[in-house]
Amino acid sequence: MFVIKIKPERKIDIIVRIGLYISLGLLIASFVQKGVLPKKKAIHPDLYQEPIQRETYTPSFEAKAEGSIYDINPSHHYKLNGLVVSQHDSTAWWDYYHKKWGDSLNLKDVCVIWGDNLENETYRRMRFRNGNWTCYVSVNHKTADQDWAQFNMAALSNNHLLSDKAEINQALRKVHVGDQIYLKGYLASYHRQGSHFSRDSSISRTDEGDGACETIYLTDFKVLKSANFFWWSVYGVSKYLVLILFIFLVFLRIQAPLSR
């Protein structure tokens, strides 16, 4: 009988590689699953309500963020319950425009759907993504006619969320695709003092194109129901495991000739 002896360093190398492959598999699986939208049966009943908007005579006020002062000019009170189908973090390293214009008040954009669009699960077949300012919607070409017929673009909005409150900012940073949210505040235009930067807000859900997004200064924000917590946790752990194990494997390969 032949006995194959494996050197200790070789055993470590094998264990690390197996761990790396498993972590990589979990990373890929969790990356896909963390963005899956919830089924209709998991939708909070408040999300079937239409947004509430009414004119306000609230005077202009100032807000501060990252050392800058902004003039906020409210036009309407606004409440919205929605399912987050896409989002954009304005602090992302690749967001050139927010940095260029010094816009620190617009912490996050969320693209949400509500009402009619939750009556069936067409939204789960569709694809949503956010750019710096815009929410993009696409469908599978095989079911395109059916999906567009069942989807109401007036029950979707891309929202530029403004906040200078620490508690709200903390909640915004934790929002993920698939979360069901409630927000309250003002539809408002805003301007950064000492600059030419300013932005208006849409006051209609039926407009399209440039200027169709709602700009909302938040007075309240909460997540009604979180989604995919397990997969977000797996994703957060596995991406660091992949990096650590890969670096360790490279280190072992560099050290291997010295141990012979």
Side-chain angles (χ1 to χ4, degrees), residues 2-233:
F2 294 98
V3 178
I4 300 176
K5 293 184 178 180
I6 302 177
K7 295 180 179 180
E9 59 269 25
R10 179 61 176 163
K11 289 181 180 179
I12 296 174
D13 183 272
I14 293 172
I15 292 172
V16 172
R17 279 192 289 130
I18 292 174
L20 179 59
Y21 298 151
I22 292 174
S23 299
L24 187 58
L26 289 173
L27 179 63
I28 294 171
S30 60
F31 179 81
V32 174
Q33 292 297 322
K34 67 182 177 62
V36 174
L37 298 177
K39 295 181 179 180
K40 179 183 176 180
K41 64 182 180 181
I43 298 298
H44 193 287
D46 287 355
L47 270 65
Y48 291 98
Q49 301 174 8
E50 292 295 313
I52 298 174
Q53 175 179 315
R54 58 184 176 83
E55 194 171 357
T56 180
Y57 298 99
T58 302
S60 300
F61 56 90
E62 293 182 347
K64 297 180 181 179
E66 300 293 332
S68 295
I69 301 176
Y70 300 82
D71 295 317
I72 311 296
N73 302 295
S75 62
H76 293 78
H77 288 288
Y78 194 63
K79 293 182 182 180
L80 170 68
N81 296 283
L83 171 66
V84 178
V85 294
S86 182
Q87 66 167 345
H88 172 65
D89 186 344
S90 303
T91 64
W93 64 268
W94 48 268
D95 187 330
Y96 168 77
Y97 294 103
H98 281 84
K99 294 179 177 63
K100 177 183 178 182
W101 295 332
D103 183 7
S104 303
L105 193 63
N106 176 203
L107 187 63
K108 182 168 284 194
D109 289 1
V110 292
C111 184
V112 302
I113 60 175
W114 63 84
D116 292 345
N117 287 333
L118 302 173
E119 291 295 343
N120 55 65
E121 295 190 349
T122 298
Y123 64 89
R124 301 189 77 227
R125 295 196 301 268
M126 303 178 76
R127 296 290 178 266
F128 307 87
R129 67 179 182 86
N130 264 70
N132 286 335
W133 316 112
T134 309
C135 177
Y136 301 93
V137 185
S138 60
V139 297
N140 188 306
H141 71 280
K142 294 181 180 179
T143 58
D145 291 341
Q146 175 187 350
D147 292 347
W148 285 126
Q150 294 180 340
F151 193 80
N152 180 9
M153 288 297 292
L156 171 147
S157 67
N158 190 47
N159 304 277
H160 304 307
L161 303 182
L162 315 178
S163 172
D164 60 347
K165 297 178 175 60
E167 184 178 352
I168 292 178
N169 291 352
Q170 184 178 12
L172 285 177
R173 292 188 179 98
K174 295 179 180 179
V175 169
H176 295 136
V177 169
D179 287 351
Q180 299 172 54
I181 64 170
Y182 162 82
L183 62 83
K184 176 183 177 182
Y186 299 107
L187 295 179
S189 63
Y190 69 112
H191 164 72
R192 182 166 65 87
Q193 293 184 7
S195 76
H196 296 292
F197 173 77
S198 63
R199 182 187 286 169
D200 294 324
S201 174
S202 167
I203 57 172
S204 170
R205 311 296 85 75
T206 58
D207 50 359
E208 298 179 1
D210 188 27
C213 297
E214 281 65 50
T215 300
I216 307 167
Y217 178 84
L218 297 174
T219 58
D220 192 14
F221 180 89
K222 60 184 176 183
V223 175
L224 299 173
K225 203 170 184 180
S226 297
N228 305 320
F229 176 78
F230 171 78
W231 288 112
W232 274 103
S233 299

